[in-house]
Amino acid sequence: MVKVTLALAAFVAVVAASPRSKRTMHVHERRENVPSGYVKDGAAPSDHVLNLRLALVQSNFKSLEDKLYAVSTPGNAEYGQHLSKEQVEALVAPSSDTTSAVKDWLSSHDISSNTISPAGDWVGINVTVKQANTLLDADYSTFTHQSTDEQTIRTLSYSIPADLKSHLSLVHPTVAFPVKPFGSPKVVGKFSKKSNLTADAAPASCATSFTPTCAQQLYGIPSAPATQPSNRIAVAGFIDQWANLADLKSFLQTYRTDISPSTTFSTVLIDGGENDQSTPGIEANLDTQYTVGVATGVPNEFVSVGENNPDGIDGFLDIINELLGEDDVPNVLTTSYSFNEPDLPFSIANNLCNAYAQLGARGTSIFFSSGDGGVSGGQSQSCTTFVPTFPSTCPFITSVGGTTGIPETAVDFSSGGFSTLFAIPDYQSADVSAYLSKLGSTNAGLFNKTGRAFPDLAAFGVNVEIVFGGEFGTVDGTSCSTPITASLFALLNDELIAAGKSPLGFLNPFIYANQGAFTDITSGDNPGCSTDGFSAGTGWDPVTGVGSPIYSVLRTAAGL
Ligand SMILES: *[C@@H]1O[C@H](CO)[C@@H](O)[C@H](O)[C@H]1NC(C)=O
Ligand SMILES: *[C@@H]1O[C@H](CO)[C@@H](O)[C@H](O)[C@H]1NC(C)=O
Ligand SMILES: *[C@@H]1O[C@H](CO)[C@@H](O)[C@H](O)[C@H]1NC(C)=O
């Protein structure tokens, strides 16, 4: 309560103290209060230099979205005809009017800018706090995070000239405070020097010890190596989690004795990312072990995104812009990290979601874990309304929930629900309406019936065997389900490319059109916020989506 009052007082002071500039200024974004965990210290030093980035309005995002659906919807005349780098950039580049309107405004303040994204929709400027306060009618202040003592400079509100509203979508850093993604599976079994399992035969019980062989058996995933060198699976790494090569080797020596133990991944470093082999990351190890270990023979790339990320969303946008800058994008990108949607301003979430649409149009299948807090968000927490997770709520990515047991049921931590930012896309609207009519008034008022619903599908997510720091043990989480699912689709892409066909690209229209290619998960629920959450049932549900994949049926559905 005290915090809220302080924040409101600060905001009122900003408005009162703002100098009026000659051009009519309109408040572009503002937040009502300081996010929980932060306290405001006072004005930021006026000569401190801010590296600001401005997102220009994309000229033709609607056409890009139409193209994305055309190339991703089975039966469409353009199905599989993914766009080139140049084609995507032409659709999202800002118009010359937009670029000059923004540049003229900056020059009128003697500020020069440079282009910082492949399509030219982001520009960067370096200005002092004093200049930024004048340019944006802002009140840049220093805030301290109470538990980490980390200081950050932000403003609770900023304005732009009224006539630039249709040209400028957002400025960062302004009102978006640093957010850390959730990741990291939960450790279940005690880690020990020796594996409890022998060779790579399936364990006596895959339900209690899940290995790559279990994934192959459960979903019919082939063990024969992929053949296409142009096919690539990328694994995203964040929060200083590094994938360990020695651990991967002992994982393969134990669980994939049929392939070379030196099978490995390449590493790409962005935003000051590292590849420190002395400190393995549990999430990074899980993700690389279950992509190298399941997507047999598919070229594998670990993208380590560092903490020097200026994009306002912990490097999540930087990695996408990095990939969009390449002529050949990976066919699959898997990420087992997520945010709670309410922690993000719509402007930043929407800009990133649009970047996923661009990568999807290029032909990448993008997977995100749905989260491990049931209906309470990325991690279990107390809540009064359900907390959806992002990027799962972005309609342009594929969200993966979790299952347990054989035969599979929904696992109780599997996050799922409905966006409060993004509207429901056509590809799922009939299935979601069918679910909502069965649901009736259960959970009414706790979620947004018109939002994009997630997850889209699910896979096994408990008692998953990994190697970490030279020891063997098991972990739980949708962090496990995601690389397993991504690997299955990477192998389908290999077969498609070998047959001279296009890779699958953005998957959701294909998934909802081919529900017979999934094992419907019909029991279990995802409790949270002092409720039982949602229940899995016949058809799509916000716990396990359309169900878990069946390789052989997906093969046929993909035209193989
Ligand atoms: C802003 O500063 C960064 C280094 O911090 C530099 O790379 C960039 O080119 C500068 N941008 C402009 C527009 O001067
Ligand atoms: C529900 O989702 C829609 C997007 O479909 C959004 O515009 C609306 O603000 C959301 N409502 C609530 C109460 O979150
Ligand atoms: C392996 O067995 C040991 C000893 O019985 C046990 O402590 C450990 O939790 C087991 N590890 C796994 C991954 O099951």
Side-chain angles (χ1 to χ4, degrees):
M1 263 307 155
V2 173
K3 225 172 291 157
V4 173
T5 317
L6 273 179
L8 286 176
F11 180 67
V12 171
V14 177
V15 174
S18 291
R20 283 269 139 242
S21 55
K22 287 177 215 93
R23 216 157 154 184
T24 310
M25 299 289 278
H26 271 197
V27 173
H28 195 60
E29 288 188 90
R30 63 178 194 144
R31 59 184 315 142
E32 297 299 333
N33 45 47
V34 179
S36 73
Y38 282 95
V39 285
K40 183 175 167 176
D41 302 326
S46 63
D47 57 353
H48 177 86
V49 175
L50 295 167
N51 303 128
L52 295 185
R53 21 169 82 194
L54 284 58
L56 309 194
V57 170
Q58 298 174 339
S59 58
N60 214 343
F61 183 76
K62 182 72 183 81
S63 301
L64 187 271
E65 186 180 359
D66 291 347
K67 276 281 178 197
L68 170 70
Y69 283 117
V71 302
S72 311
T73 304
N76 188 293
E78 292 172 46
Y79 183 62
Q81 295 172 31
H82 299 125
L83 276 60
S84 67
K85 177 175 187 289
E86 290 70 27
Q87 286 171 318
V88 165
E89 287 172 8
L91 290 173
V92 298
S95 70
S96 55
D97 278 3
T98 290
T99 307
S100 54
V102 172
K103 295 219 159 156
D104 290 351
W105 169 55
L106 295 172
S107 331
S108 74
H109 286 262
D110 292 322
I111 296 168
S112 58
S113 59
N114 58 6
T115 300
I116 56 175
S117 69
D121 55 336
W122 281 95
V123 298
I125 62 174
N126 299 326
V127 287
T128 62
V129 162
K130 185 163 181 249
Q131 280 176 300
N133 282 340
T134 308
L135 181 73
L136 300 170
D137 269 4
D139 176 35
Y140 277 97
S141 306
T142 305
F143 299 85
T144 301
H145 194 272
Q146 286 161 299
S147 58
T148 63
D149 267 348
E150 231 166 87
Q151 287 202 325
T152 186
I153 294 178
R154 293 293 187 270
T155 177
L156 297 180
S157 151
Y158 71 98
S159 300
I160 61 170
D163 54 296
L164 285 187
K165 212 174 156 38
S166 57
H167 298 299
L168 189 53
S169 66
L170 73 102
V171 180
H172 178 79
T174 52
V175 298
F177 279 66
V179 278
K180 282 273 164 262
F182 297 104
S184 300
K186 191 170 139 229
V187 171
V188 277
K190 200 169 150 293
F191 278 67
S192 50
K193 288 278 175 221
K194 224 176 120 14
S195 169
N196 294 355
L197 308 172
T198 46
D200 67 337
S205 167
C206 284
T208 54
S209 287
F210 199 84
T211 62
T213 310
C214 295
Q216 291 166 350
Q217 289 187 354
L218 188 57
Y219 303 130
I221 301 171
S223 59
T227 59
Q228 302 301 303
S230 72
N231 190 22
R232 181 158 57 110
I233 183 167
V235 177
F238 294 95
I239 56 171
D240 285 344
Q241 285 243 353
W242 302 301
N244 192 272
L245 295 162
D247 284 345
L248 175 62
K249 188 168 188 173
S250 55
F251 180 83
L252 295 176
Q253 279 169 334
T254 310
Y255 300 126
R256 285 304 305 270
T257 51
D258 58 326
I259 63 175
S260 163
S262 20
T263 312
T264 189
F265 52 86
S266 60
T267 306
V268 174
L269 309 177
I270 67 172
D271 284 346
E274 292 173 48
N275 177 23
D276 180 348
Q277 289 299 310
S278 67
T279 323
I282 197 160
E283 179 68 67
N285 272 12
L286 166 66
D287 297 346
T288 46
Q289 288 167 17
Y290 278 82
T291 48
V292 175
V294 176
T296 312
V298 176
N300 189 301
E301 176 179 285
F302 178 70
V303 186
S304 175
V305 183
E307 293 301 299
N308 179 17
N309 45 65
D311 64 356
I313 186 150
D314 216 66
F316 274 53
L317 179 61
D318 289 340
I319 181 176
I320 302 305
N321 277 335
E322 174 78 17
L323 296 175
L324 285 170
E326 296 176 2
D327 287 322
D328 295 306
V329 294
N331 300 117
V332 168
L333 171 64
T334 180
T335 310
S336 291
Y337 297 85
S338 64
F339 302 96
N340 286 340
E341 193 189 58
D343 291 346
L344 304 171
F346 174 69
S347 58
I348 297 245
N350 188 49
N351 186 280
L352 177 55
C353 185
N354 289 355
Y356 294 135
Q358 295 174 48
L359 193 59
R362 296 279 305 277
T364 303
S365 306
I366 307 173
F367 296 91
F368 279 93
S369 52
S370 73
D372 295 346
V375 290
S376 82
Q379 242 165 41
S380 189
Q381 60 164 353
S382 68
C383 33
T384 49
T385 55
F386 293 174
V387 181
T389 65
F390 181 86
S392 280
T393 54
C394 169
F396 308 129
I397 65 94
T398 299
S399 170
V400 186
T403 66
T404 183
I406 295 173
E408 297 167 277
T409 60
V411 64
D412 60 358
F413 57 69
S414 182
S415 292
F418 298 78
S419 179
T420 64
L421 300 181
F422 299 97
I424 189 158
D426 287 347
Y427 60 74
Q428 63 172 192
S429 62
D431 293 291
V432 175
S433 312
Y435 178 82
L436 288 172
S437 44
K438 281 182 290 180
L439 184 67
S441 61
T442 306
N443 298 329
L446 297 175
F447 69 99
N448 184 0
K449 287 188 172 192
T450 62
R452 140 78 160 145
F454 71 102
D456 300 299
L457 43 59
F460 206 81
V462 300
N463 301 323
V464 172
E465 300 276 347
I466 64 163
V467 179
F468 176 62
E471 301 197 334
F472 294 79
T474 54
V475 293
D476 283 0
T478 54
S479 285
C480 309
S481 318
T482 309
I484 293 169
T485 305
S487 295
L488 182 154
F489 282 95
L491 289 172
L492 281 171
N493 281 335
D494 180 75
E495 289 203 58
L496 285 165
I497 295 166
K501 296 175 190 274
S502 293
L504 290 162
F506 172 48
L507 278 171
N508 295 4
F510 171 86
I511 289 173
Y512 287 83
N514 289 291
Q515 292 179 38
F518 296 85
T519 302
D520 194 6
I521 312 295
T522 56
S523 62
D525 46 32
N526 57 358
C529 311
S530 310
T531 73
D532 293 335
F534 296 109
S535 294
T538 305
W540 179 89
D541 55 67
V543 196
T544 56
V546 300
S548 62
I550 309 167
Y551 192 89
S552 60
V553 190
L554 283 164
R555 241 185 129 259
T556 311
L560 286 162

